[in-house]
Amino acid sequence: MSRRRPVRRRSARRSKKQDEKIALLVGAVVAAGLVIAAVQWLLAHWWLLVFAAVVASIAGGFWFQQARQRAEWKRVRTQALRPGIAEIDALDHRAFEFSIRDLMRRDGCKAQRIGGAGDDACDVRAIDPAGRVWAIQCKHRRDGDRGSAVGVGVLQQVNGTARQVHGADIAVVLTNGRFSSKAIPWGREHRIHLVDRRVLGEWAAGSRPLWDLLNRIPPPRRPTALS
């Protein structure tokens, strides 16, 4: 009797596998039948397919129109950004950094504000339409040009990180105030572009992009319609 038990077990396993195959076959037949029935129903009611296609086309066109309109509104708002120097003076330092980011975007740059702890002396990093990378350190003075002058120490920090850390082609220190008498020649010697209150006011007015207001700007990295 003990020798017959393995035969029964093997027979039971074969029966179970056969049942599984039959179940899979039945499932496949049922699924195929449902697909065929659905296709036949759709063919018999073809007008529903046409109606759905028309609705989808209208919805897609409406969505595209809305997206295009939102993009146009954003472009108009950006181009209309023309803050006066008094308005800039009234900002706090954080809002000042965001305003510089927005001005760069206004002129066609991809820009982000990265100011804060650990920013490595770069409050705004931007890529202009010519592919050049900008690292901008912002120094806001509540009293404008009556406040303390931006000195060489700030420029030295930027000189140590702008190109090495941020990969900048153009390093900028920007203020709504003024620079010390020593900072101006130091910046020129080390290729740090200085944007003081006068240049900032002219740039914010929107007549020209920042790169048109600065001297010794490196050539474009890539061809551009603006060059």
Side-chain angles (χ1 to χ4, degrees), residues 81 88 91-105 111-117 119 121-126 136-141 174-176 200 203:
L81 184 63
I88 292 174
L91 301 174
D92 61 26
H93 191 82
R94 186 170 182 271
F96 181 57
E97 294 169 1
F98 278 109
S99 71
I100 300 306
R101 179 205 64 180
D102 292 343
L103 286 171
M104 294 298 285
R105 289 180 176 179
Q112 60 178 337
R113 182 255 181 188
I114 58 176
D119 61 13
C122 176
D123 294 313
V124 176
R125 186 179 187 274
I136 304 174
Q137 176 74 338
C138 303
K139 291 298 177 182
H140 185 266
R141 296 292 184 259
L174 182 149
T175 181
N176 64 322
L200 174 60
W203 175 41

Side-chain angles (χ1 to χ4, degrees), residues 159 163 169-171 186-193 216:
N159 189 53
R163 300 174 183 89
D169 300 300
I170 304 169
W186 199 95
R188 187 181 302 112
E189 180 182 354
H190 293 85
R191 296 184 298 128
I192 307 294
H193 295 274
R216 299 189 298 170

Side-chain angles (χ1 to χ4, degrees), residues 62-140:
F62 178 76
W63 178 86
F64 178 78
Q65 180 70 16
Q66 289 293 100
R68 187 175 181 179
Q69 192 173 50
R70 285 194 297 269
E72 180 66 15
W73 287 340
K74 184 177 180 180
R75 184 186 66 82
V76 170
R77 287 197 303 269
T78 300
Q79 288 186 341
L81 184 63
R82 303 286 189 273
I85 195 66
E87 184 179 351
I88 292 174
D89 288 343
L91 301 174
D92 61 26
H93 191 82
R94 186 170 182 271
F96 181 57
E97 294 169 1
F98 278 109
S99 71
I100 300 306
R101 179 205 64 180
D102 292 343
L103 286 171
M104 294 298 285
R105 289 180 176 179
R106 180 198 68 184
D107 293 340
C109 300
K110 296 179 181 179
Q112 60 178 337
R113 182 255 181 188
I114 58 176
D119 61 13
D120 289 315
C122 176
D123 294 313
V124 176
R125 186 179 187 274
I127 302 175
D128 67 24
R132 295 169 297 209
V133 178
W134 295 63
I136 304 174
Q137 176 74 338
C138 303
K139 291 298 177 182
H140 185 266

